Amino acid sequence: MERLGMWVTRHRLAVGLLWLAVTAVGSVLTPSLSGRLQSGSHVNGPAFTANTAIAAQYGGAAADPGVLILDTPAGQTVDTPRVKQDLSRIDAALAEAAPDLRVVSFAADGDAALVGTDRTSTIVLAYPPKPSDDIGPEQVDLLTAAARQAAPDLTVHGTGYHALEAGNTTGGGNSSVLSELLIGAAGALLVLAWVFGSFLALLPLLTAFISVLTMQVLIYGLTYLVPSSSPLNPSVQYIVALLGLGLSIDYSLLVVTRWREERSAGRSNDEAVLAAMKRAGHSVWFSGLVASLGLFALTVVPNSVVRGIGISGLFIPSTATLVALTLLPAILSKVGPRTDRPRRASRRTAASRFWTAWSIGVIKHRVLAAVVGLGLLGALAGIATTIDIAQPTTHAMASAGSYTDGLHALEADGFPSGTLTAVPVYVPHAADARAVVTSLDSLSSLRGAAVAAGPGWSASDGSALVVAIPRTEIGSSHSGTALADVRAAAGSVAPGALAGGDGAQRIDATNATYGSFPLLFGIVALVTFLLLARGMRSLFLPAKAVLLNMLSVAATYGILVLVFQQGIGMRALWGTGSYGTIDAFAPVLIFGFLFGVSMDYEVFILARVREGFERTGSTREGIVEGVSRTGRLVSSAAVILFFALASLSTANDVTVREIAAGLASGVVLDAIVVRMLLLPALVSLFGDRNWWLPDRARRILRLKPAAGPGAPAARREPAHTAHTAHAAHTVRDAG
């Protein structure tokens, strides 16, 4: 780290110009990144096979459809000649308004499954042109307006699963990454202004801005490298931008705080930069390595969305680390002292009186602190055992608005909510389509089925598409046997028939994701333990850190259950009720992100505990110095990351919202309960055992034996002397 710091300060102009060029490229490419990202997940399984066959002939017909509900005037039915004319005009108007969409309608095929109670209503199912598209609020609004204009005598409602998911916002969709990034940056600036009390608060924001743009450039390049069968999901841009903002500020905050502390101790500016690189720089590098591991390990999950986020997530801590260890020291060596004004703000570099008193209090009442901390985490982890991983039902997402009105009209006409997750069935031979419809009509788990007929439904391979309408929503926790029934019935009359759809794909994705979760868990835990054991020269501290991290993640799942599954605070925060379930992607992605990010705080604190232990030979004094010096830093970093993630939770996407809110609450929980309460309490409780490292483990970790009188494990020596020597060697090796 010292050599890197010396090289950077000598070549600071070149370093600055290089990052300026990268920033310029990022500014140009970032606006077009969203066009390179595609929604949808790709998981090998029966649904993926079916959806691939459907996409080849029928484009986006495997997506959840947009639904128009058409009610006839009083005293008339769908068989009334005038109504028939209206229905035909609606089909023509839809084809003119949205020529790329494919629709399934009663006017085109006459199937009874599309007709409501007493034949006074009917539905139109609309599908997007491409497999990567959805029928969202914009398309539903467009179709609804076209139908109303074509047949003003009919009552027309529009709805759809993705329209409800978007929060009933007319013309909805995800809010821009830029707006959420600005919200997160504004919250971070307030915290940084409080921490530094000078213009130095702008420096972490500047480096974070450059980091985020660099990450966007790397993701843009990655879109050309990943296979077209597994494109990167749009949620990648959100996660990289907001989590990148928080991590970049965290790493910069650590380096700048240490530089300022060294300056206050009387060092020259260049000496302070090198000292900050030696101590804080090592912590940043090590934290970035562990955080990258937690994210990259997501690639073991056989799901294109999770793997894409894992690969993309690798750039978040690595880029933040690179900027903090190159651009930041270059800036500090050039203009650092001039930005640290007013000078009275430098008094804040002293150890915090609050955190000093806090650490002494925790040590004094360490048993009580451990019981309270473990009890809180254990209670939340217990709540997490009730987690229900599935897509939310339409009723859970339907709070108020035009799309909710459409859902209510749909059900009032005798159609089940499962209509919004209709199951497309690929029939290899069109001659078998009617036999498949007849077979599906007899199933009690379905309302019926219809052949997709009319413009856009002729296939070059001689196949046909049948749409089955389940009584329950496919992919939800109440989906029942509808999907299995469709597959069995269709396959019995049409060999080679394939049932797919978004809901079926989500079921396959959930099974694949959590089938690989033990492997993900094991890899992350083992490699993190080995890295920490080598860095901390201890077996006990990394074991404690990994176990507490697991408990912290489980407790975060408990918060997810309380908020999104049970609905506590949902109405106040997002204006909607409980989802009743937890999205399938949220727990596994939260594990990957939170496990790595929370290790930052562990490394930040223990690095200072080691320094204090080296200086005094006392574990107690090391804890006091470590917490008093890092308490403000860790709490501020957690609040900054919380602001960044909380702003991301405003996105109109259930998955992104749950991940962001879960991570935001998990970061605060981990920083306060785990790192600032349990860490000092447990380190104090276990005393000398914290530094235990047998010779055999030392050899396996390829660490040199500690030199000096405290090295031989069998030698009896005063505790003070032995631990002082051990700590000194620990810090030399670590950094």
Side-chain angles (χ1 to χ4, degrees), residues 9 35 47 52 85 132 361 376 494 535 545 550 552 577-578 610 627 675 719 733:
T9 54
T52 301
Q85 294 174 0
S132 58
L376 177 60
M550 297 299 180
S552 177
S578 164
R610 280 201 305 266
V627 174
R675 308 307 161 194
D733 283 352

Side-chain angles (χ1 to χ4, degrees), residues 51-72:
N51 290 349
T52 301
I54 293 170
Q57 298 297 324
Y58 306 104
D64 289 329
V67 181
L68 294 183
I69 304 94
L70 312 175
D71 290 295
T72 63

Side-chain angles (χ1 to χ4, degrees), residues 607-688:
R608 295 308 295 262
V609 171
R610 280 201 305 266
E611 288 187 42
F613 180 58
E614 173 193 19
R615 190 161 31 254
T616 64
S618 166
T619 299
R620 179 187 183 280
E621 294 303 318
I623 295 171
V624 172
E625 178 169 333
V627 174
S628 65
R629 289 287 183 179
T630 61
R632 182 190 292 127
L633 170 67
V634 168
S635 58
S636 301
V639 171
I640 289 170
L641 196 53
F642 172 83
F643 273 120
L645 293 165
S647 64
L648 179 60
S649 71
T650 62
N652 283 327
D653 183 286
V654 172
T655 303
V656 174
R657 178 177 292 177
E658 290 186 4
I659 293 171
L663 283 173
S665 58
V667 164
V668 173
L669 180 72
D670 186 87
I672 296 175
V673 178
V674 178
R675 308 307 161 194
M676 305 312 298
L677 183 66
L678 281 175
L679 187 152
L682 294 178
V683 171
S684 177
L685 273 172
F686 293 106
D688 294 348

Side-chain angles (χ1 to χ4, degrees), residues 39-62:
S39 61
S41 62
H42 304 268
V43 179
N44 290 331
F48 180 71
T49 302
N51 290 349
T52 301
I54 293 170
Q57 298 297 324
Y58 306 104

Side-chain angles (χ1 to χ4, degrees), residues 458-482:
S458 58
S460 60
D461 65 346
S463 65
L465 190 78
V466 171
V467 179
I469 300 178
R471 296 192 181 278
T472 54
E473 296 165 30
I474 305 300
S476 71
S477 57
H478 307 293
S479 59
T481 62

Side-chain angles (χ1 to χ4, degrees), residues 9 70 178 241 252 310 333 418 544 580 591 625 718-719:
T9 54
L70 312 175
L178 178 61
S252 298
S333 67
K544 173 195 67 65
F591 173 82
E625 178 169 333

